[in-house]
Amino acid sequence: MCALLFDQNIIAGAFKPPCKISICLADGSTPKQVRIKKENGQMVMVPLFQSQENIVGEVIIEPSNGKKVEHNGVKIELLGQIELYFDRGNFYDFSSLVRELDVPGNLYERKTYPFEFSTVEMPYESYNGINVRLRYILKVTISRNYVNNIVEYMDFVVRNYAPAPPINNSIKMEVGIEECLHIEFEYGKSKYHLKDVIVGKIYFLLVRIKIKTMELEVRRRESTGSGTNTYVETETLSKFELMDGVPVRGESIPVRLFLSPYELTPTYHNINNKFSVKYFLNLVLVDEEDRRYFKQQEITVYRLSENS
């Protein structure tokens, strides 16, 4: 048994990386951290940036047990990537910046390499959806001959902010069933920030069927791929009961729905020709025979600038 354990230790040591790589951001380079869920379900804190910020830090490489590390160069990359889950494992790079840190040679002891990516253009936000993921990473690669390269990653999140729109029209729509039902609904605006409140009113102009309940839903529709590989997923993020009982003609029902409790993202339009994310308000009426009537309206969601 001892001999077997000894052999296993030798095998384990053979596959152990010959050095340790650490990626450290400079103090003050990022003011905030946010929590994200890794693929294994683990929650971790990662740095938060927005477009045009500087990403500054250093890479530290420490050879294990004083071993010599032969290499063909050391580099750090800043990558923006999209992964479609029907094509899992294949990342589409929409952004790629490289800094060469070292020329080919040998490493005998701990070495520190400073790096800087200045005013980085990061046009898209980080997103982790049902069928698609958009991520940003710092990737350090030690290139080697005849053996696998040594690679280390650091995830970070990008969020981009927008001012309040100068024009924000109200929404007015009608729901009707000829000679049976006529409802008008009005929402105060069509564009909402992530912590906004949906305020509106529902007017019953004609009611000849018995309405049992009425709900307002917030739905997210994620579209990925194109052509025959187009996938559409719709999630109901919230259900808000507006009414429980039978309305009468001339009655009006107020609407007030807070968005802050829900995990919304901004609306995304055709991100790098790979995916879109849209939001809808869905009005649902159920009569006493459990027949359901729907009226859906798209809204725009944006991340309000913290200075607004």
Side-chain angles (χ1 to χ4, degrees), residues 111-162:
K111 193 168 183 180
T112 300
Y113 302 94
F115 69 86
E116 179 173 354
F117 296 97
S118 301
T119 57
V120 183
E121 182 72 28
M122 296 176 285
Y124 310 131
E125 287 204 351
S126 303
Y127 177 72
N128 195 358
I130 297 174
N131 287 322
V132 62
R133 174 171 62 144
L134 189 152
R135 70 172 187 173
Y136 289 90
I137 59 171
L138 292 170
K139 176 184 177 182
V140 175
T141 304
I142 301 176
S143 300
R144 300 196 295 166
N145 279 331
Y146 311 117
V147 289
N148 292 334
N149 294 340
I150 306 170
V151 181
E152 184 62 48
Y153 300 91
M154 172 187 276
D155 289 284
F156 65 93
V157 166
V158 171
R159 289 178 180 169
N160 292 322
Y161 301 88

Side-chain angles (χ1 to χ4, degrees), residues 177-183 204-208 249-250:
I177 303 171
E178 190 173 355
E179 297 184 357
C180 293
L181 181 69
H182 186 189
I183 298 174
F204 292 87
L205 306 180
L206 177 64
V207 185
R208 288 182 179 165
R249 179 179 177 178

